[in-house]
């Protein structure tokens, strides 16, 4: 096989693809010329381009997508030349890239996603001499926009007959840009078209022109509509059907497979399309109508691959389908779309993470003098690949066990002891970045019966609904728990069997042996976890084959307790085992066993010695996330992948799925039809069932349901998140229009006061209790984390019901939730709950007893000290109040200083004029006042006003 190295490439291409990003070359005289970053997204219709997208995966490997873009005015010779260049580039990068043929006007959504919001090719090119835009008189242009997720923009004839009711149009005039929305166009299409309006304004008007939105049906009486129709010579009824038709209508008699030999194609006859038809020594063309694939066997030469690409180009010309897309894949690295065309495709044939091969490619490139830094991710052997939880583990937790249609509240240490035959509901609240976060979850045991599972999900859904959909909702199966669950539970134990009536009825009716855990019987537990805040003990079958050299175990039976440590375990693993031992068999003498020197009694309890594995039980790793928009109707789920997604892709009218392989999120917009909301969990389950990415998703994969405006940190981490966007008024179109007409600033809803879960007026059906910590004695370490000072202050003020202010929450009574062991670095809990501390402080002030009439009594030696202490306490209380007021100020919308000043020519309407400074961004506030908002609001009022006057805000 002939190899092709990086040094064999054209000089302009050498060294490319070594870091994440987009690189572009324009073909000039059949040679690639690099396009500077500032010109990315600018294409000329007379030219051809190579676009290389390099993406770093979570594992550190680099993935390449190579696109060659063909302008409508580029030559056939240029098409063939650029196709060959991409084959050479792919080979130099290791032969694993996916190659795409992109035709102007028919680009793939993946290609368009690199250049959001759109590309608008310009006339001309290198051959014609028009390769840059000359300043000239503005020409009025009409564009048509199509697409809900990526926008395809095309210039059309500026005539009234071009308009229709189905599409969105943009009319770009010298002084104003009009968006005309056909009456049958969707809100999402209108919203996406506004992004194009912003692009045209910034690109062709230097951001200086007016914007007008015109709806189909608005007559001349409307000023902007009148101005719009005047440009077309006056209003007239529009045609019912579109005059602009650019949709592809390529006919196909079904999927056909062709082998390529020496540039010639030959049909492969077969009744069904199987992977076995593909020979690793050959190249093939798969004709699917609008899409054509080239498949290259691993053992093919660079010349065979070039011939296959040239044959594909000829295939387009001979079949009169010049606008079809071509996707070229290498054996072992086929795309999901390609594999889905086959009737059967073995799951083991695709190489997902070629670590060894990637190392070989890096070594080869290094020999060629190429810097390979970043191509291969290195990690030390001791590094842990544990995912980050993105959830605070110091919140409030309540747990219920489901029994038929009822739920039984668990108390104390029982909250983290689950039975495999039962189902559980948990409710958790914890401090987020700028608000209190909530999570309601169901845990479904492997042995649980369907009746209990249905009851658990139904009751959890009702809890979420009663809390006005504030919480994220999780459906969790035993054995597939996400890291967030373990962080919440901290010390989690799973027992065999069950306690629910439905489980007992099932085993009785089916004559199944009852294996429910017996504290006095024989039981074996595998201990696992990453630390004291994340540790589990899982009961497994008490047989020697259940052992593993990479784990620690606890075995009890016949009044004896054994601990067993595999030879591959660490001191940290053994520490976790000791901690879990205190929960399973506290205060009992244990017999330590080391692998290889076990006692006969140990093996007898396990039924005899036998072979067992030594490798660590592998957990599924979190893969790079994929976002899908979805529609669900008549039990049929249709999805569309959103490439290079951002927060702006989450449209408030739609439902989206974020697939991370180890867990799936279903995001529900505020404007989604209420009738669809009860189907959200079914949508997530259907997604797992269909496995659209062919990644072997398990049906037990955790599903999170997230509503817009209440996204938890472990969801928003996949985006560059701006929480103000989900707090805006209206639908997607209205929101984007508000940003456009408000100089880029979101128009926010008034912040909703979140009712604390302990409030007496809360809509929460069952009030979670604050997390207290149970005490476990130990000779060598402390394992107690007490209540926070804020909680103690709050409880002290609420303790006496007779003196409690009726406007404050009721006392917190009932079973307390506990956590056994602190994290290595315990956070300052007074900072985690500033509002609770402030409430306690206010209550202390309001509930002070009225002073008795003055009496002449001797002053005790400690009275002065007590008075000073009371004054200090009140000062601290007022400080807490100010801190809370500063926090509330941060929830207000922000505006530029120029619009807030008392001398502003464009003042912001409908704000509190006595608190103009509260509407400044944190950065601008610090620039003007040389201090933070928190520091500012601690100052006396007279000093605040003096400073505000100095900066023209008072």
């Amino acid at each position: 096989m002939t190899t092709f190295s990086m040094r064999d490439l054209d000089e302009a291409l050498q060294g490319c693809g070594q870091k994440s990003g987009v690189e572009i070359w324009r073909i000039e005289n059949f040679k690639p010329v690099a396009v500077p970053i500032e010109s990315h997204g600018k294409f000329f219709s007379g030219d051809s381009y190579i676009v290389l997208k390099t993406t770093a995966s979570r594992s550190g490997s680099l993935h390449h997508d190579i696109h060659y873009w063909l302008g409508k005015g580029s030559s056939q010779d240029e098409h063939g030349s650029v196709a060959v260049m991409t084959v050479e580039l792919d080979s130099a990068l290791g032969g694993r890239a996916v190659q795409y043929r992109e035709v102007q006007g028919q680009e793939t959504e993946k290609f368009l996603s690199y250049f959001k919001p759109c590309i608008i090719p310009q006339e001309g090119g290198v051959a014609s001499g028009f390769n840059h835009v000359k300043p000239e008189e503005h020409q009025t242009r009409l564009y048509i926009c199509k697409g809900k997720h990526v926008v395809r923009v095309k210039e059309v004839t500026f005539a009234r007959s071009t308009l229709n009711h189905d599409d969105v149009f943009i009319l770009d005039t010298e002084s104003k840009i009009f968006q005309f929305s056909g009456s049958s166009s969707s809100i999402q299409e209108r919203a996406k078209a506004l992004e194009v309006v912003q692009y045209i304004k910034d690109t062709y008007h230097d951001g200086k022109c007016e914007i007008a939105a015109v709806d189909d049906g608005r007559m001349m009486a409307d000023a902007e509509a009148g101005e719009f129709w005047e440009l077309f010579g006056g209003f007239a009824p529009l045609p019912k059907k579109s005059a602009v038709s650019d949709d592809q209508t390529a006919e196909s008699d079904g999927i056909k497979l062709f082998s390529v030999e020496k540039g010639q194609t030959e049909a492969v006859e077969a009744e069904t399309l199987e992977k076995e038809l593909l020979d690793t020594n050959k190249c093939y063309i798969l004709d699917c109508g609008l899409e054509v694939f080239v498949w290259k066997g691993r053992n093919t030469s660079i010349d065979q691959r070039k011939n296959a690409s040239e044959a594909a180009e000829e295939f387009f010309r001979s079949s009169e389908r010049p606008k079809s897309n071509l996707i070229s894949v290498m054996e072992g690295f086929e795309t999901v779309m390609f594999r889905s065309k086959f009737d059967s495709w073995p799951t083991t044939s695709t190489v997902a993470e070629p670590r060894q091969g990637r190392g070989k490619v890096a070594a080869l490139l290094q020999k060629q003098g190429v810097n390979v830094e970043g191509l291969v991710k290195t990690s030390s052997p001791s590094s842990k690949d544990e995912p980050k939880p993105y959830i605070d583990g110091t919140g409030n937790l309540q747990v219920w066990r489901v029994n038929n249609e009822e739920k039984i509240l668990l108390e104390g240490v029982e909250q983290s002891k689950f039975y495999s035959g039962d189902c559980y509901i948990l409710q958790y609240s914890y401090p987020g970045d700028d608000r209190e976060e909530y999570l309601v979850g169901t845990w479904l045991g492997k042995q649980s019966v369907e009746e209990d599972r249905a009851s658990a999900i139904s009751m959890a859904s009702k809890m979420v609904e009663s809390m006005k959909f504030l919480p994220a909702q999780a459906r969790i199966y035993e054995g597939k728990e996400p890291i967030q669950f373990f962080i919440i539970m901290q010390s989690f134990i799973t027992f065999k069997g069950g306690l629910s009536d439905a489980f007992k009825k099932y085993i009785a009716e089916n004559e199944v042996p009852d294996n429910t855990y017996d504290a006095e019987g024989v039981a074996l537990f595998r201990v696992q976890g990453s630390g004291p805040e994340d540790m589990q003990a899982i009961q497994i079958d008490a047989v020697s084959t259940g052992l593993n050299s990479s784990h620690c175990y606890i075995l009890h039976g016949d009044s004896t307790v054994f601990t067993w440590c595999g030879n591959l375990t660490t001191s940290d693993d053994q520490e976790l085992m000791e901690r879990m031992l205190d929960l399973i068999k506290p205060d009992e003498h244990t017999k330590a066993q080391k692998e290889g020197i076990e006692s006969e009694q140990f093996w007898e309890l396990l039924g005899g010695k036998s072979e067992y594995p030594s490798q660590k039980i592998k957990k599924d790793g979190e893969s790079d996330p994929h976002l899908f928009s979805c529609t669900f109707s008549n039990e049929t789920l249709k999805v569309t992948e959103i490439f290079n997604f951002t927060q702006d892709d989450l449209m408030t009218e739609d439902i989206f799925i974020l697939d991370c392989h180890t867990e799936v999120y279903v995001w529900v917009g505020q404007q989604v039809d209420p009738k669809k909301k009860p189907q959200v969990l079914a949508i997530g389950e259907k997604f797992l069932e269909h496995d659209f990415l062919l990644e072997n998703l398990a049906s037990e994969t955790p599903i999170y349901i997230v509503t817009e405006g209440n996204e938890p940190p472990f969801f928003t981490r996949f985006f560059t998140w701006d929480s103000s966007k989900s707090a805006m008024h209206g639908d997607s179109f209205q929101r984007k229009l508000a940003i456009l007409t408000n100089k880029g600033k979101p128009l926010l809803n008034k912040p909703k006061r979140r009712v604390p879960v302990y409030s007496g007026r809360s809509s929460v059906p069952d009030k979670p209790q604050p997390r207290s910590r149970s005490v476990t004695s130990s000779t060598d370490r402390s394992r107690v984390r007490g209540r926070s000072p804020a909680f103690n202050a709050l409880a002290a003020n609420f303790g006496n019901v007779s003196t409690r202010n009726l406007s404050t929450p009721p006392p917190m009574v009932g079973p307390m939730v506990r956590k056994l062991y602190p994290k290595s670095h315990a956070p300052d809990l007074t900072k985690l709950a500033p509002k609770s501390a402030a409430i306690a402080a206010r209550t202390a002030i309001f509930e002070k007893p009225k002073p008795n009439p003055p009496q002449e009594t001797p002053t005790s030696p400690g009275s002065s000290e007590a008075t000073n202490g009371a004054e200090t306490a009140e000062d601290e209380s007022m400080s807490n109040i100010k801190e809370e007021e500063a926090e509330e100020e941060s929830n207000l919308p922000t505006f530029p200083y120029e619009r807030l000043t008392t001398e502003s020519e464009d003042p912001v309407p409908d704000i509190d004029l006595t608190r103009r400074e509260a509407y400044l961004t944190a950065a601008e506030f610090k620039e003007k006042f040389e201090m933070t908002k928190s520091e500012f609001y601690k100052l006396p009022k007279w000093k605040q006003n003096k400073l505000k006057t100095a900066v023209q805000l008072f």
Side-chain angles (χ1 to χ4, degrees), residues 163-181:
L163 303 176
N164 63 69
H165 300 294
D166 299 323
D167 296 310
V168 179
F169 294 84
I170 296 173
L171 180 62
D172 178 22
T173 70
E174 185 173 5
S175 60
K176 184 178 286 190
I177 304 173
F178 297 87
Q179 175 170 318
F180 174 81
S181 302

Side-chain angles (χ1 to χ4, degrees), residues 582-601:
D582 288 349
L583 299 178
I584 297 172
K585 284 292 181 180
D587 305 322
E588 289 200 23
H589 176 71
T590 60
K591 296 182 179 181
Q593 307 286 297
K594 192 161 182 62
E595 184 177 9
I597 51 175
E598 300 88 352
S599 66
E600 288 297 325
Q601 186 184 7

Side-chain angles (χ1 to χ4, degrees), residues 402-404 421-423 449-457 500 502-503:
V402 174
N403 190 38
N404 295 325
D422 293 334
C423 296
V449 297
E450 190 57 40
E451 297 96 306
D452 281 346
R453 294 182 180 186
S455 294
I457 292 173
S500 76
F503 174 77

Side-chain angles (χ1 to χ4, degrees), residues 644-655:
N644 297 294
F645 61 83
T646 66
Q647 182 185 355
D648 288 336
D649 290 310
L650 299 174
M651 296 286 197
T652 187
E653 298 80 17
D654 292 333
I655 295 173

Side-chain angles (χ1 to χ4, degrees), residues 603-671:
W603 292 119
E604 287 175 4
L605 281 177
L606 293 177
K609 185 177 181 180
S610 59
E611 293 292 326
Y612 53 82
S614 60
Q615 72 274 15
K616 194 159 188 148
I617 298 173
K618 186 180 179 182
K619 293 183 179 179
D620 288 338
E622 190 176 73
S623 64
D624 297 309
H626 296 262
L627 183 68
F628 299 86
S629 69
C630 48
T631 55
F632 187 62
S633 132
N634 299 323
E635 299 298 316
T636 301
L637 178 63
K638 294 181 180 179
V639 301
T640 302
E641 184 168 3
I642 313 298
F643 299 101
N644 297 294
F645 61 83
T646 66
Q647 182 185 355
D648 288 336
D649 290 310
L650 299 174
M651 296 286 197
T652 187
E653 298 80 17
D654 292 333
I655 295 173
F656 290 83
I657 291 179
L658 185 67
D659 175 15
C660 306
H661 185 67
T662 54
E663 53 201 23
V664 167
Y665 298 84
V666 184
W667 183 90
V668 186
Q670 293 176 358
Q671 302 285 332

